Amino acid sequence: MDWRAKVELFEEIRREYEFGVGTILGVAKKLGVHRRMVRDALGNAVPSRRKKPERKRPRLAPVTTFIDAILQSDRAAPRKQRHTAHRIYQRIRVELAGIDVAESTVRRYVREKKQALGLMRREVCVPQSYDWGSEGQVDWYEAEADLGGERQKLQVFSLRGMAGGGAFHRAYLRATQQAFLEGHELAFRYFGGVFQRLRYDNLKAAVKKILRGYQREETARFIAFRSHWGFAAEFCTPAEAHEKGGIEGEAGYFRRNHWVPVPQARDLEDLNRQLLAACEQDQGRTIASREQTIGVAMRAEQAHLLPLAQEGFDLAEVSFPKVDGSGCVRVRTNFYSAPLPADTQVQAKTYADRVEIWHEGAAAARHERSYGRYQQVLELEHYLEVLERKPGALAGSTALKQWRERGRWPTEYDRYWEVLIRRHGKQAGMRQMIELLGLGKKHGYDRLQEAIVTALATGCGDVAAIRYLLTAGSGAPPPLESSDLGRLARYERPLSGVQNYDQLLSGEVTL
């Protein structure tokens, strides 16, 4: 019988005794209960709690001494290197193999002993109040999402305003210093200003060395970033996450409400748009013990924030590598292609999502940043000048393989390549294919693909026809070049009367 039902029964017993039968035996018979329960109800309107009998644990007895010794030694061990109940159970199975005891029994006993020894206690936190704009808290947490149909583990930057309760979340592939700083700038724009003080864990992106007390040796880039935006920084005691409990609780809430079920997105950019929408959606909720919604509080807090800087901070990590013999520059542990001669010194700028290679004040190449080790990230168009001298290297090039893997080499390219080789021979066909890629670099690869599809449909097998198709919409068709006439002269059917390609495309003349 549950507690509420028993309270109601006691009330009925007392009423029956007072205004009804009037005897203990009569009440017991009428209500179908024992006389002892009638006496209990008459003695107290609140039923006494039933004592839970202590169960004997005969199988646990042989291992209690072993468990007690482990827990006693744990009192001197580092907090994060103490035995869990599961680890103790594993040791029992190995070191006391002849004893059969259930893991649940071990767990209950370990919990009781840890509480008795003071190894497991719940911290009491002191509630805090914050002035408008006075403090924000920053942290990283892990979450998973399906990007392009593939499950990926991501690092999520989060910043919460403590007075207003608003928060900003953004996902990255890795928790790099560039991502850390970029997350700050995007958060400042989201809040419309900068908090006077930000509180952190001892993150490697900000802290180089932990000194005595609250003193830290900070990284040079973080000091410069903090100076640029004008905020102060404070760092928590190591392993004391409750010192920034606001952002810890925010991460848990956001993960439970916006990362469940696992988000689906085309790519990281699409996912971050979803996260920003979720942050804005949360502005409509009201935090417990507060009267106004988060959105209203954020607008009130904005007036007390430090103003945004006129310009953003240069987030890039800068290095000065040289182009090697493979046409690549090394940035950290990876290699990125650049359309520059070997031994050219360049400036490499590394961001959270990309790597830019600069030379003589201009961006020579941009690549998506790779977080692997010793990977080559290549662009085929960076090797066109070299391939013009070495056309045979195209078919087996790593850059071509990577373009195929990224879906940047449509099947129409291969079909047209075969046509070129069949009509002009392997060497000349290879050179014409390289020339086509140069046209794609100039006019755009989408337009090149459309032109190749048209050429395949009309039976044109020459780079001159593709050049005409690419430039036909830009005004008068270009005149035939001497090299084009030389190619056309090699066909079996004479084409001496062709002055432009209108006849070719209209079907009057076919190649």
Side-chain angles (χ1 to χ4, degrees), residues 109-411:
Y109 182 76
V110 169
R111 182 170 60 250
E112 294 168 3
K113 291 297 293 184
K114 280 188 174 183
Q115 289 174 346
L117 293 171
L119 294 175
M120 188 172 74
R121 64 180 184 273
R122 190 171 181 178
E123 292 287 347
V124 176
C125 298
V126 180
Q128 302 289 301
S129 297
Y130 300 91
D131 295 331
W132 292 117
S134 63
E135 181 173 312
Q137 296 182 358
V138 178
D139 203 7
W140 289 97
Y141 64 90
E142 286 187 351
E144 294 188 358
D146 292 333
L147 303 182
E150 181 180 352
R151 181 68 52 89
Q152 291 195 40
K153 181 179 288 186
L154 304 170
Q155 304 296 321
V156 187
F157 172 89
S158 54
L159 191 155
R160 181 178 190 261
M162 296 308 297
F168 174 82
H169 298 254
R170 185 172 179 83
Y172 292 92
L173 295 176
R174 297 288 188 278
T176 62
Q177 187 180 63
Q178 294 76 42
F180 178 68
L181 301 182
E182 181 185 271
H184 278 77
E185 290 205 348
L186 295 174
F188 294 158
R189 295 192 186 102
Y190 174 75
F191 286 102
V194 182
F195 294 93
Q196 299 170 26
R197 179 179 63 252
L198 291 176
R199 188 180 295 273
Y200 303 88
D201 276 333
N202 298 282
L203 305 167
K204 289 184 178 180
V207 175
K208 189 174 181 180
K209 186 176 181 181
I210 299 175
L211 305 176
R212 178 175 296 180
Y214 287 98
Q215 296 180 347
R216 302 290 186 271
E217 182 182 341
E218 301 170 43
T219 62
R221 281 184 59 75
F222 179 71
I223 294 173
F225 180 83
R226 187 184 66 197
S227 174
H228 179 85
W229 288 100
F231 64 88
E234 289 187 2
F235 300 93
C236 298
T237 306
E240 298 291 344
H242 60 82
E243 292 185 6
K244 55 176 184 56
I247 191 62
E248 296 284 348
E250 166 64 28
Y253 174 87
F254 197 88
R255 183 161 36 201
R256 290 189 299 271
N257 288 273
H258 300 295
W259 288 90
V260 179
V262 176
Q264 311 281 328
R266 294 189 305 275
D267 50 28
L268 193 60
E269 184 179 353
D270 182 34
L271 175 65
N272 280 319
R273 281 195 292 268
Q274 296 180 30
L275 296 182
L276 181 60
C279 294
E280 293 170 348
Q281 178 185 334
D282 280 351
Q283 293 182 22
R285 73 183 181 98
T286 304
I287 298 175
S289 76
R290 299 193 184 186
E291 297 180 354
Q292 54 193 6
T293 64
I294 290 175
V296 173
M298 283 179 64
R299 287 189 287 274
E301 186 172 37
Q302 185 175 354
H304 300 269
L305 297 175
L306 301 175
L308 294 172
Q310 294 295 325
E311 296 181 355
F313 186 77
D314 186 2
L315 303 175
E317 176 186 294
V318 179
S319 59
F320 297 90
K322 284 187 176 182
V323 180
D324 62 18
S326 298
C328 295
V329 297
R330 178 170 177 168
V331 181
R332 287 185 172 263
T333 62
N334 295 312
F335 299 85
Y336 299 87
S337 64
L340 297 168
D343 293 327
T344 302
Q345 188 168 46
V346 299
Q347 182 186 48
K349 296 183 177 181
T350 305
Y351 295 89
D353 59 345
R354 68 190 187 279
V355 172
E356 296 182 355
I357 300 169
W358 289 70
H359 179 60
E360 295 182 349
R366 287 184 176 88
H367 296 274
E368 183 179 347
R369 181 174 176 177
S370 171
Y371 284 98
R373 291 176 63 82
Y374 307 110
Q375 302 295 311
Q376 287 185 321
V377 182
L378 310 178
E379 286 291 344
L380 184 57
E381 62 183 23
H382 293 168
Y383 293 92
L384 292 181
E385 186 177 341
V386 179
L387 288 171
E388 288 175 359
R389 301 192 305 270
K390 303 176 181 179
L394 174 61
S397 64
T398 305
L400 174 58
K401 180 183 177 183
Q402 291 190 6
W403 267 32
R404 292 184 189 276
E405 291 171 350
R406 296 178 205 157
R408 294 193 60 185
W409 188 271
T411 56

